Amino acid sequence: MGSGTPWELFYTKLRRAGPYRTSDVRHAPPAVPSRPIPQPLRMQLTDQEKTRRENLTKLRELGIEPFPAALFPVSHLATDILSGVETDAEGNVTNFKEVTLAGRIMSQRIMGKAAFANLQDSSGRIQLYVSRDDIAPGEDKTMYNTVFKKLLDLGDFIGVKGFVFKTKTGETSVHVKELTFLGKSLRPLPTPKRDDEGHVYDEFKDPELRHRMRYVDLTVNPKIKETFRKRSRLITAMRQFLDDLDLMEVETPVLQPIHGGAAARPFKTHHNTLDVPMYLRIANELYLKRLIIGGFDGVYEFAKIFRNEGMDRTHNPEFTMVEFYVAYKDYNWMMDTTEQLLEHAVKAVNGDASTVVRIGENDVDFGGPYRRLSMADAIREYTGENIDGADEDELRAIAGRLHVPVDKTMGRGKLIDEIFGETVEAKLIQPTFITDYPVEMSPLTKKHRSKEGLVERFELIVNGKELANAYSELNDPIDQRERFEEQLELGKRGDEEAMALDEDFLRALEYGMPPTAGIGIGIDRLVMLLTGQKSIQEVLFFPQMKPEK
RNA sequence: GAGCCCCUAGCUCAGCUGGCUAGAGCACCUCACUUUUAAUGAGGGGGUCCAGGGUUCGAGCCCCUGGGGGCUCACCA
């Protein structure tokens, strides 16, 4: 490239101003002395990137600011027009005489003195019709010949003002009278196309690229927005339901000195001023119970939880749970409430009165009441084996007969859990409450009011997977201390997931806690169910990724 | 963690048994075209074939090592 071209001048200016003003540079991690300084600047631009930068410069030379500061007064969304257009007997559009829209240019079909383009806004796409003599009415045709045809690139944000009409082929379109640049795109977007039969060509589908560059994914695959809209509607509906129950939304610490309330490996960090180790929470349960102890009758929190464990299509290191705790209730009440909550939420997500969700081959109905089955009854029903009162040796024999793999370290509780998980869980497609778990697996749960060796706990299983976990909360501080001590023993034997003893929580319990029902519902898993997504990465905007090379 | 598969242009992909200057469609550039719609027609540019070693007269292709990714299975929600 010769010097002195607009591009070259622009490029030189940029270099003089300091490197390429992207936030990459400012927020780059400080260089580690022992390693080479990472080179964040991609000085090698592709032809298409160079062209776009040249176009940017040329726009400025023509007095057109590609990144204007002023607000742009949008009057309509694309879908408002597509769904609201009215025509008379001759097929002429009778409304939308003046509309102003803004969005990205996603395609251009130029035919000499006229052109069609597609504008994509947050609601969808609408076709634009641009004719030379309309946007360049005088002698000077620069606005059309140069600005529209040459300097406008796919992906640019523009605003248009015009009127609505239908083309010969009947497509509702905006006849553009005025075009405003709102934000130039300097990189070419992937260009998926769809034909009349709905076949998509050149789809942008590499999961890694889609997740790393979710902004591109959302732009070129706008359908995926629907998953995230459903996620948002779900959370809104759940919040509304919990508010209507007179529960209070609260926030509790993410940074915790002791990672309690669940069995999982934590992320460890360090607080400099206090000079103490800290953990990102693996649960918020113990804090919510402290609030019940403090006198709130009902609290809930939509909580980001962090667990330092494997990553796969159902596990992300950070995920979202809603937990709520209600005083003077028990797990039976919580089952009733959970049915109502999910029924309400699923209707909101579906957008109608339907409580049915199609999941794979099955229609799953979230309308209550759900089947309630004790763990022992479930195992009896699905395997014919009776685990009631079985000791450890008998359980091993049962596991053997059912071909459930077990190992020597497993105690009674773990054996029952394995038998259930291997033989029953996957078969429970419709929402089912499995109740009354072995005490060994549930250190925070109240002992069963009538069944020896069990606790008042339920899990909600849907489509063969756990969706929620709830208890009558253990409020006897002496029992709680014993349970923690059993966990400490497990920890000493090498169980990395054993729960830590939280002395302050025990102190709180000793001041007295009302009987309380509590539950945690995995939001990401629920969204996966309700949107038919098979991987958690598809229901998180920004799933955790390995660092980009 | 185990097994299988993949990495070639901005995107989606071909590339035979190792053999001339590595290809296609879309995107991009130039030209034509005033109701197109995967617009069309003509012409053009664009590549660290993931990286590094090896075998070979010759490697996108074979071998080794490393990196990245996907899928399936097992465990944590």
Side-chain angles (χ1 to χ4, degrees):
Chain A
M1 174 164 318
S3 62
T5 65
W7 152 245
E8 194 66 18
L9 288 171
F10 177 63
Y11 189 56
T12 307
K13 267 188 203 164
L14 271 182
R15 270 194 303 210
R16 207 174 290 141
Y20 201 58
R21 298 181 318 170
T22 69
S23 53
D24 294 18
V25 177
R26 295 186 184 183
H27 301 303
V32 178
S34 60
R35 305 174 87 183
I37 295 168
Q39 175 53 267
L41 303 182
R42 225 164 38 101
M43 289 319 215
Q44 289 289 338
L45 297 174
T46 65
D47 282 356
Q48 296 193 45
E49 290 171 320
K50 287 176 185 166
T51 301
R52 282 161 184 255
R53 282 171 159 77
E54 287 167 15
N55 290 347
L56 177 80
T57 309
K58 287 174 187 163
L59 282 171
R60 289 215 167 104
E61 286 168 358
L62 288 168
I64 295 169
E65 174 50 51
F67 298 103
L71 69 78
F72 186 79
V74 174
S75 70
H76 292 81
L77 293 175
T79 49
D80 294 340
I81 294 171
L82 295 177
S83 63
V85 67
E86 291 166 8
T87 49
D88 62 19
E90 284 83 51
N92 297 312
V93 173
T94 55
N95 56 349
F96 297 129
K97 294 302 182 194
E98 185 173 305
V99 294
T100 305
L101 293 89
R104 279 190 201 267
I105 286 292
M106 297 305 284
S107 69
Q108 260 179 311
R109 295 176 291 284
I110 292 170
M111 301 161 303
K113 300 185 185 67
F116 289 92
N118 284 331
L119 183 79
Q120 174 171 296
D121 66 16
S122 63
S123 72
R125 291 188 185 187
I126 191 165
Q127 180 166 270
L128 306 180
Y129 173 75
V130 179
S131 79
R132 185 190 68 181
D133 297 332
D134 277 317
I135 66 163
E139 286 299 303
D140 180 2
K141 300 301 180 189
T142 305
M143 193 61 197
Y144 182 79
N145 288 335
T146 305
V147 175
F148 177 77
K149 279 167 65 173
K150 303 271 171 70
L151 305 183
L152 179 65
D153 293 308
L154 295 190
D156 288 355
F157 277 94
I158 62 165
V160 295
K161 191 170 175 180
F163 62 88
V164 175
F165 76 112
K166 289 206 178 196
T167 63
K168 271 186 196 166
T169 52
E171 178 158 349
T172 302
S173 307
V174 176
H175 188 127
V176 175
K177 308 293 276 187
E178 247 181 79
L179 185 153
T180 310
F181 272 83
L182 298 175
K184 193 110 188 67
S185 167
L186 296 184
R187 289 176 186 251
L189 285 169
T191 52
K193 294 197 169 185
R194 178 180 297 271
D195 69 14
D196 291 340
E197 282 87 52
H199 298 122
V200 180
Y201 301 82
D202 304 329
E203 188 177 13
F204 180 64
K205 64 183 179 185
D206 181 319
E208 187 193 3
L209 292 175
R210 287 183 46 236
H211 298 151
R212 275 196 203 287
M213 300 194 287
R214 186 65 91 180
Y215 35 90
V216 174
D217 189 29
L218 290 162
T219 300
V220 305
N221 300 322
K223 269 191 173 174
I224 71 152
K225 285 180 176 170
E226 192 50 35
T227 298
F228 293 100
R229 289 201 180 97
K230 283 183 174 174
R231 184 181 178 117
S232 176
R233 284 209 296 274
L234 173 76
I235 291 171
T236 301
M238 292 181 109
R239 181 172 275 131
Q240 180 199 1
F241 181 92
L242 296 171
D243 287 340
D244 288 348
L245 273 184
D246 276 337
L247 310 191
M248 185 170 78
E249 182 165 15
V250 298
E251 293 173 277
T252 62
V254 171
L255 269 182
Q256 302 180 350
I258 295 171
H259 54 283
R265 280 154 61 195
F267 285 92
K268 192 173 182 181
T269 183
H270 185 264
H271 189 280
N272 287 345
T273 303
L274 297 175
D275 192 23
V276 292
M278 301 288 273
Y279 302 90
L280 298 186
R281 68 179 169 198
I282 58 172
N284 55 351
E285 168 157 358
L286 301 186
Y287 284 96
L288 293 176
K289 286 188 199 174
R290 284 174 171 97
L291 296 178
I292 297 293
I293 291 167
F296 292 107
D297 281 341
V299 291
Y300 74 90
E301 180 174 19
F302 284 90
K304 259 298 177 68
I305 303 293
F306 305 84
R307 296 190 182 173
N308 205 344
E309 295 174 339
M311 289 165 58
D312 60 30
R313 71 189 182 291
T314 54
H315 297 86
N316 195 65
E318 54 182 295
F319 62 99
T320 305
M321 302 249 293
V322 60
E323 297 216 10
F324 59 96
Y325 289 78
V326 184
Y328 312 116
K329 307 298 186 190
D330 65 5
Y331 78 145
N332 293 313
W333 176 89
M334 187 58 92
M335 283 189 259
D336 298 340
T337 304
T338 302
E339 287 165 355
Q340 293 162 20
L341 167 62
L342 289 178
E343 186 169 327
H344 173 78
V346 170
K347 282 179 183 170
V349 169
N350 282 344
D352 53 33
S354 168
T355 56
V356 176
V357 178
R358 185 82 185 167
I359 301 172
E361 303 288 294
N362 305 303
D363 283 324
V364 174
D365 189 350
F366 282 91
Y370 307 156
R371 190 162 185 220
R372 300 179 186 190
L373 204 55
S374 76
M375 188 169 251
D377 287 346
I379 290 172
R380 189 177 301 118
E381 177 171 327
Y382 283 86
T383 71
E385 297 285 353
N386 185 7
I387 62 161
D388 271 335
D391 64 20
E392 195 170 318
D393 289 339
E394 287 164 330
L395 288 170
R396 285 185 191 284
I398 291 169
R401 284 202 289 279
L402 297 172
H403 309 292
V404 174
V406 294
D407 64 57
K408 291 191 179 64
T409 67
M410 292 177 181
R412 242 188 117 256
K414 185 72 179 163
L415 287 168
I416 293 172
D417 198 52
E418 285 293 319
I419 291 169
F420 175 80
E422 288 290 318
T423 61
V424 183
E425 195 170 48
K427 294 173 182 162
L428 300 174
I429 303 302
Q430 297 301 323
T432 306
F433 291 117
I434 297 296
T435 64
D436 302 343
Y437 282 62
V439 65
E440 294 89 340
M441 306 294 293
S442 311
L444 301 169
T445 312
K446 192 191 282 277
K447 282 178 179 149
H448 198 281
R449 62 194 74 182
S450 60
K451 296 179 183 173
E452 186 68 25
L454 301 182
V455 290
E456 295 207 349
R457 170 178 177 181
F458 72 80
E459 292 193 357
L460 175 62
I461 313 291
V462 181
N463 199 40
K465 298 194 182 67
E466 178 193 340
L467 187 65
N469 185 15
Y471 331 130
S472 296
E473 301 294 336
L474 178 54
N475 63 342
D476 174 344
I478 294 169
D479 190 357
Q480 183 65 79
R481 183 175 292 276
E482 287 168 6
R483 305 277 196 98
F484 273 145
E485 279 166 359
E486 285 161 16
Q487 289 292 309
L488 289 182
E489 282 305 311
L490 289 177
K492 279 182 196 156
R493 286 186 357 215
D495 185 346
E496 284 190 85
E497 295 183 347
M499 224 173 264
L501 189 150
D502 187 332
E503 199 60 59
D504 175 71
F505 175 67
L506 285 171
R507 176 168 61 192
L509 274 188
E510 285 167 7
Y511 278 98
M513 172 172 161
T516 299
I519 189 169
I521 302 173
I523 295 292
D524 311 283
R525 295 274 172 90
L526 182 53
V527 175
M528 286 167 67
L529 281 179
L530 299 186
T531 59
Q533 295 295 340
K534 292 195 176 72
S535 89
I536 198 170
Q537 285 78 22
E538 296 295 341
V539 302
L540 298 168
F541 275 128
F542 303 106
Q544 195 56 241
M545 308 283 290
K546 289 189 188 177
E548 207 166 349
K549 65 175 178 194

